[in-house]
Amino acid sequence: MHMEVKTIKDRLNSKDYDFLRTAEGLKDNIILLTTGGSVAYGTDTPESDLDIRGIALNSRKELLTMKYREKPYENKKTDTVIYTLQQIRKLLSNANPNVLEILGTREEHLFTLTKEKQLLRENHHLFLSKKIISNFVRYATSHLRATTEHFSQR
């Protein structure tokens, strides 16, 4: 049984996710908020966690000083990762598998409604290149290796 959209929305509105509404750099800057992992792929089970991924606009200060945040906003407790637009642009341009999925999630799993989000989704093809092949092969190989090592240690 897959996690219902109402359940996801209820969780996002809970205290556990208050940081999305209160953290400096996030609260009014989030342009895209969606699911990741097994929930996004529809392979979740009742034991699955909820992975949240998103994109936030860079702050005025970052834009004016050109001193950008180097790492995404991360909340390990809720398995949430929010990239700034500057970060996501670089990662998408390099065909990073972890962020390409953000632009391809199902409509019902999009929890923000901004013009910027729509522009990114409508122009996702701009980030698709032959780099994807080698990046996804490396990504899949590393996960296969990690899984093989995990099961060989049992």
Side-chain angles (χ1 to χ4, degrees):
M1 181 166 167
H2 301 297
M3 194 174 296
E4 300 289 327
V5 172
K6 182 185 179 329
T7 303
I8 298 168
K9 286 181 178 180
D10 288 346
R11 284 211 201 157
L12 288 172
N13 288 317
S14 73
K15 282 187 172 199
D16 287 342
Y17 291 88
D18 274 350
F19 68 94
L20 294 173
R21 295 174 283 282
T22 60
E24 200 59 43
L26 290 182
K27 52 186 172 187
D28 296 324
N29 295 338
I30 295 175
I31 61 170
L32 191 150
L33 196 63
T34 190
T35 56
S38 62
V39 174
Y41 293 115
T43 57
D44 54 306
T45 66
E47 295 80 34
S48 295
D49 63 345
L50 175 61
D51 302 333
I52 297 295
R53 301 293 176 260
I55 303 171
L57 294 175
N58 290 87
S59 70
R60 283 189 176 122
K61 182 179 179 181
E62 287 176 311
L63 294 172
L64 293 172
T65 62
M66 296 185 69
K67 293 180 181 174
Y68 300 105
R69 181 184 181 89
E70 291 184 28
K71 298 205 181 256
Y73 296 91
E74 234 179 307
N75 183 291
K76 293 190 186 303
K77 178 182 174 191
T78 61
D79 203 358
T80 299
V81 179
I82 310 290
Y83 300 91
T84 65
L85 193 56
Q86 180 72 9
Q87 293 163 346
I88 203 83
R89 184 193 58 77
K90 286 180 185 175
L91 293 166
L92 287 170
S93 295
N94 288 316
N96 182 295
N98 292 319
V99 297
L100 280 170
E101 72 178 4
I102 292 173
L103 298 182
T105 54
R106 297 178 287 196
E107 282 292 322
E108 65 267 20
H109 284 196
L110 293 171
F111 303 106
T112 56
L113 299 169
T114 67
K115 288 183 259 181
E116 296 89 352
K117 173 210 69 166
Q118 201 56 40
L119 277 170
L120 278 170
R121 293 209 15 124
E122 288 171 1
N123 291 288
H124 69 277
H125 62 280
L126 297 174
F127 302 105
L128 302 178
S129 71
K130 290 184 179 180
K131 286 182 187 178
I132 291 173
I133 298 167
S134 60
N135 287 353
F136 271 83
V137 167
R138 273 196 304 277
Y139 180 77
T141 303
S142 70
H143 280 282
L144 178 61
R145 190 174 295 123
T147 303
T148 303
E149 288 172 12
H150 172 75
F151 285 108
S152 68
Q153 294 173 357
R154 287 185 161 191

